[in-house]
Amino acid sequence: LIITPDEQWPPGMYLLKLVSSGGGESSVPIVLRDDSSDAPLLIQSSVTTWQAYNGWGDANHYTGGADFDPDQRARVVSFDRPYHGNGTGEFFGREFELVWLVEQLGLDVTYWTDIDLHSGNGDLDQHTTLVTLGHDEYWSREMRTRATEARDDGLNLVFFGANAVFRQIRLDPSPVGPARRQSNYRVASEDPLNGVDDARVTVNWRERPV
């Protein structure tokens, strides 16, 4: 199934509802980005944090296996999988409410994900404020560097959730495309970059060697 948005789709956050011939249902969240937008507000969806907690396949960055054993937690998780449960990830309860509010108020706003911040998609200089929503916990070094440089150039940063920018991650390609595999070893001695490229070791940002 290939879905190609056109000019009739306004930029924003969408949930695609999938219904099987047998009556099964699930959802796929997507964010439609508009690189030409100069809206003052740029809202960021925190999909790296969604993946950290995504239990599809019986493992995430916290637990693993049928017994949800912390010792079996995944050090690397993949975006090449659906979200567990109904497929909505953490859209409801983390992001939907504020998105609903700004749309109801008719604010001049556009959208992207933290993967776009990581990858350098779009241009932060076209906006005045970057808004992140609930629990924006997992950031790569590229994300933090770009946001910090834009802040120093005058961009406002607004965090509507606690525990933001708490854990460092690395994003690597998969056969599907770039930035599809997310690493968070959490313990420095487990990370293969420990002692090799200490700035990218995936521990909490406030911990050594970061």
Side-chain angles (χ1 to χ4, degrees):
L1 176 66
I2 298 177
I3 297 175
T4 304
D6 57 25
E7 63 276 0
Q8 296 182 13
W9 291 50
M13 297 185 183
Y14 289 82
L15 280 178
L16 305 184
K17 182 178 180 180
L18 307 180
V19 181
S20 72
S21 58
E25 296 183 1
S26 188
S27 298
V28 178
I30 63 170
V31 176
L32 189 60
R33 192 181 77 239
D34 179 9
D35 291 344
S36 67
S37 172
D38 59 359
L41 297 180
L42 173 59
I43 291 182
Q44 176 169 292
S45 185
S46 307
V47 296
T48 56
T49 298
W50 297 15
Q51 280 299 345
Y53 289 89
N54 181 13
W56 191 92
D58 292 330
N60 58 25
H61 278 329
Y62 293 86
T63 62
D67 296 328
F68 305 104
D69 184 353
D71 291 334
Q72 298 184 50
R73 62 182 174 83
R75 275 60 172 177
V76 181
V77 296
S78 174
F79 280 86
D80 301 341
R81 58 183 181 148
Y83 292 107
H84 71 289
N86 63 9
T88 60
E90 298 197 17
F91 179 63
F92 293 112
R94 300 269 193 213
E95 302 192 352
F96 169 76
E97 290 82 0
L98 194 139
V99 171
W100 177 270
L101 176 63
V102 299
E103 293 290 342
Q104 287 291 100
L105 293 174
L107 301 182
D108 190 3
V109 62
T110 194
Y111 300 87
W112 74 359
T113 74
D114 47 12
I115 298 294
D116 297 310
L117 176 60
H118 168 88
S119 302
N121 298 326
D123 188 349
L124 284 171
D125 291 340
Q126 296 173 191
H127 312 285
T128 61
T129 305
L130 175 65
V131 179
T132 86
L133 308 177
H135 199 178
D136 192 1
E137 180 179 357
Y138 286 80
W139 279 50
S140 69
R141 179 159 293 273
E142 290 83 356
M143 291 166 58
R144 183 163 181 160
T145 297
R146 290 193 172 103
T148 301
E149 289 176 350
R151 178 206 63 186
D152 293 346
D153 287 338
L155 183 76
N156 300 296
L157 301 179
V158 177
F159 294 88
F160 275 102
N163 206 34
V165 200
F166 186 70
R167 303 188 194 275
Q168 178 168 223
I169 56 172
R170 290 196 303 274
L171 291 167
D172 297 300
S174 79
V176 173
R180 302 294 298 174
R181 290 175 177 163
Q182 174 175 305
S183 297
N184 180 244
Y185 287 88
R186 197 166 304 173
V187 178
S189 60
E190 293 186 8
D191 195 317
L193 291 189
N194 187 44
V196 177
D197 186 357
D198 284 346
R200 294 184 179 276
V201 172
T202 56
V203 293
N204 297 342
W205 278 100
R206 63 190 181 188
E207 295 179 353
R208 296 181 184 275
V210 176

